[in-house]
Amino acid sequence: MKVVVIGTGYVGLVQGTILSEFGHNVTCLDIDSDKIENLNKGIIPIYEKGLEEIVRKNLKLGRLNFSNDIIKYILEGDIIFLAVGTPPSEDGSADLKAIYSVAKQIGENIVSSKIIVTKSTVPVGTGDEVEKIIDEECKKRGLSLEVSVISNPEFLREGRAVEDCINPDRVIIGGENLRAMEIIKNLYAPLIEKDIPFVLTNRRTSEMIKYASNAFLAVKISFINEISLLAEKIGANTQQISKAMGLDKRIAPSFLECGAGYGGSCFPKDTKAIVEIAKSYDEELSIISSAISANEKQKQRMVEKIVKNVGKLKDKSFAVLGLSFKPETDDMREAPSLDIIKGIIDRGGKIKAFCPEGIRESKIRLKEYSEHITYCNDEIEATSDVDGVILVTEWSIFKNMDIFELRKRVKDNFYFDLRNVFTENSEIRKIFKYFPVGQK
Ligand code: UDX
């Protein structure tokens, strides 16, 4: 079966590459010719652990190629994955222009049966609309083709995308045509062999599973962040609360780490989108709405925490360690560092920033604040001659810094550890005025 993936953004590139790794013949398509040219040379536009090696290996084996000739491959493909972007519009709902325009292009061109798979996160009902658009375009040309639209959401985490695709917790396949669903299931044969659970369901349920899962995880993080605000005031320790809560099998330990708030491309986007979807059905998702506002508040609380302990920020300088929304990625979308840096500069402070991967994108996203930010070559330069250190993203190099040398470089000895990377026994708590999150 010939597999075609439309869209070589984060999701499409990883999906196409992994399917080629599973032994399929895959072509990934994109309208960006420079990107395609680079990809065919094995140069990938994102930083994702292990991905480049797999791309190069499968290019060499001839199982993977990249092209901008969309029509040619729409005609050749038996299975067409839709992995184009669904960015948030002004009101937070997902913008589906790209998905619908590709659906139209498919409907205008195909001459044989196809299985279409939506991989992008799309509102419930989008699969129905995609099917309708393709059907109508075929009918205009006097054709009646069997086109099955399947929902197969991704659950990959940035920085661990390859690992998550090769070893997922589950694979969801939603559709109305059992034969097409079985064909898609068999694309993942290596996962069936590993006994990874598959959930076969209808299309709308599958679309909803993706939103419900991401929203639940966002609620879990906002929940523990709110607990941490109270714990800090009453002198309780949130790490121990999380650990003890997580030992209850019904709660489970992951996504209970308090910190500077969640960021990234999925949680902020998907929580806002599902709230908007609910509104269009006259329903209010108050728990998810609260998680969104608690997350905004959490980022502001970090700035307030700095002000409360340092005093006036005017002419104070801070080293910001870590800019990307989490470690092992260059992704700056909705990164808490953006709000924290803006909050400090708005109060008169100055920033020296370092991040292993996030600087290029930060320069663009913080353009209007650039005269107050010095981007540094490493963590040593960033922490030299500053009043305090703010660890925003927990890259391991920051944890491994020589804290005694660090102490000599920092003028005033403030250390705000917004990701709780240092344990309770760490020396850093003795030599710095050390402020974690969720502990006194
Ligand atoms: C997430 C989901 O995990 C993935 O399944 C989905 O497909 C896309 O969204 P990702 O955005 O890559 O993946 O990052 P993830 O590792 O889940 O972290 C998201 C954010 O939550 C980060 O900003 C992280 O710092 C924060 N986080 C995570 C916490 O603040 N506390 C936690 O306990 C866990």
Side-chain angles (χ1 to χ4, degrees):
M1 287 252 171
K2 171 76 189 162
V3 178
V4 168
V5 179
I6 306 182
T8 58
Y10 199 85
V11 172
L13 181 57
V14 175
Q15 175 71 11
T17 305
I18 295 300
L19 287 177
S20 72
E21 179 70 8
F22 287 172
H24 303 292
N25 179 349
V26 181
T27 300
C28 295
L29 302 170
D30 206 292
I31 43 175
D32 184 338
S33 314
D34 291 343
K35 198 172 177 185
I36 291 296
E37 201 177 309
N38 279 331
L39 282 165
N40 272 322
K41 289 183 203 148
I43 302 168
I44 66 168
I46 50 166
Y47 172 75
E48 184 60 48
K49 207 164 61 189
L51 186 60
E52 196 164 274
E53 289 86 327
I54 309 183
V55 168
R56 290 190 174 180
K57 175 183 151 193
N58 286 288
L59 275 171
K60 221 172 181 178
L61 288 170
R63 293 196 294 225
L64 178 65
N65 74 314
F66 298 92
S67 171
N68 57 5
D69 194 344
I70 299 190
I71 308 291
K72 172 174 185 257
Y73 286 99
I74 281 177
L75 289 171
E76 274 185 21
D78 301 299
I79 300 168
I80 304 174
F81 279 85
L82 306 186
V84 292
T86 53
S89 345
E90 287 279 291
D91 63 0
S93 64
D95 179 348
L96 299 172
K97 274 203 281 299
I99 285 266
Y100 292 153
S101 121
V102 170
K104 188 160 183 286
Q105 211 170 10
I106 294 173
E108 284 167 346
N109 289 285
I110 54 170
V111 286
S112 57
S113 302
K114 304 279 170 193
I115 300 177
I116 314 293
V117 189
T118 51
K119 202 74 200 168
S120 317
T121 302
V122 291
V124 181
T126 305
D128 301 357
E129 191 59 29
V130 167
E131 196 167 84
K132 200 171 123 209
I133 293 171
I134 298 175
D135 226 39
E136 279 173 4
E137 290 302 327
C138 287
K139 282 203 182 102
K140 279 187 202 164
R141 293 184 294 128
L143 293 172
S144 171
L145 302 172
E146 190 187 312
V147 176
S148 303
V149 178
I150 305 285
S151 156
N152 173 219
E154 53 81 21
F155 295 97
L156 47 90
R157 289 164 297 177
E158 292 182 30
R160 295 200 201 164
V162 171
E163 184 191 320
D164 283 349
C165 278
I166 292 176
N167 224 348
D169 285 343
R170 77 297 204 195
V171 178
I172 314 294
I173 297 173
E176 313 303 323
N177 175 335
L178 209 55
R179 196 184 61 86
M181 287 160 73
E182 283 297 333
I183 291 173
I184 300 306
K185 183 176 173 186
N186 286 322
L187 281 183
Y188 298 101
L191 305 183
I192 302 173
E193 277 161 32
K194 279 201 267 184
D195 272 342
I196 302 285
F198 278 70
V199 178
L200 270 60
T201 180
N202 67 43
R203 200 162 53 208
R204 285 183 171 235
T205 306
S206 169
E207 289 168 341
M208 189 67 175
I209 288 170
K210 169 69 197 235
Y211 280 108
S213 302
N214 274 355
F216 186 78
L217 292 171
V219 167
K220 218 175 162 189
I221 298 170
S222 277
F223 176 87
I224 201 66
N225 279 339
E226 283 207 329
I227 294 290
S228 81
L229 296 176
L230 181 60
E232 211 169 293
K233 289 204 166 145
I234 59 179
N237 181 311
T238 313
Q239 273 70 50
Q240 287 167 16
I241 295 172
S242 299
K243 191 173 172 207
M245 282 174 66
L247 289 170
D248 184 329
K249 290 191 186 66
R250 294 168 301 175
I251 297 176
S254 49
F255 284 73
L256 277 180
E257 281 170 35
C258 63
Y262 62 76
S265 65
C266 286
F267 290 169
K269 170 170 80 71
D270 294 350
T271 44
K272 286 175 199 148
I274 194 173
V275 166
E276 285 308 312
I277 295 169
K279 274 189 200 158
S280 69
Y281 286 90
D282 277 333
E283 282 300 337
E284 190 199 353
L285 297 184
S286 58
I287 294 175
I288 303 173
S289 298
S290 299
I292 297 170
S293 46
N295 196 54
E296 289 309 312
K297 198 164 94 183
Q298 190 71 9
K299 293 185 272 184
Q300 292 316 316
R301 284 293 175 97
M302 298 299 113
V303 180
E304 286 161 21
K305 185 186 182 80
I306 295 164
V307 174
K308 187 176 153 219
N309 291 292
V310 175
K312 286 209 164 52
L313 300 190
K314 187 149 178 31
D315 298 328
K316 296 269 181 200
S317 61
F318 295 94
V320 167
L321 299 181
L323 296 164
S324 52
F325 84 96
K326 66 174 194 177
E328 305 299 330
T329 176
D330 58 356
D331 198 338
M332 286 295 303
R333 283 176 287 182
E334 308 267 353
S337 65
L338 297 170
D339 296 82
I340 294 168
I341 289 175
K342 286 178 189 170
I344 293 171
I345 295 176
D346 287 342
R347 287 165 180 78
K350 293 206 176 318
I351 301 293
K352 289 181 87 177
F354 175 67
C355 181
E357 296 291 337
I359 292 181
R360 193 184 56 82
E361 187 67 22
S362 294
K363 285 184 178 166
I364 302 166
R365 290 182 186 258
L366 290 166
K367 206 165 162 211
E368 66 277 32
Y369 287 79
S370 60
E371 61 177 296
H372 307 284
I373 308 172
T374 309
Y375 291 98
C376 301
N377 291 316
D378 56 31
E379 67 281 16
I380 311 286
E381 190 188 333
T383 50
S384 299
D385 211 22
V386 287
D387 293 296
V389 178
I390 309 166
L391 189 152
V392 183
T393 313
E394 66 278 29
W395 288 83
S396 54
I397 47 162
F398 303 142
K399 194 175 176 182
N400 298 329
M401 284 172 80
D402 180 332
I403 53 167
F404 296 100
E405 287 300 315
L406 175 67
R407 179 65 198 91
K408 288 183 206 158
R409 290 193 298 274
V410 179
K411 284 189 290 187
D412 210 340
N413 58 341
F414 288 103
Y415 197 112
F416 294 92
D417 177 3
L418 306 187
R419 295 288 172 187
N420 296 317
V421 295
F422 295 101
T423 60
E424 271 193 279
N425 307 323
S426 169
E427 285 291 319
I428 202 165
R429 295 180 183 241
K430 296 182 192 138
I431 62 171
F432 276 90
K433 290 177 204 155
Y434 175 81
F435 300 94
V437 179
Q439 300 167 31
K440 211 159 181 195

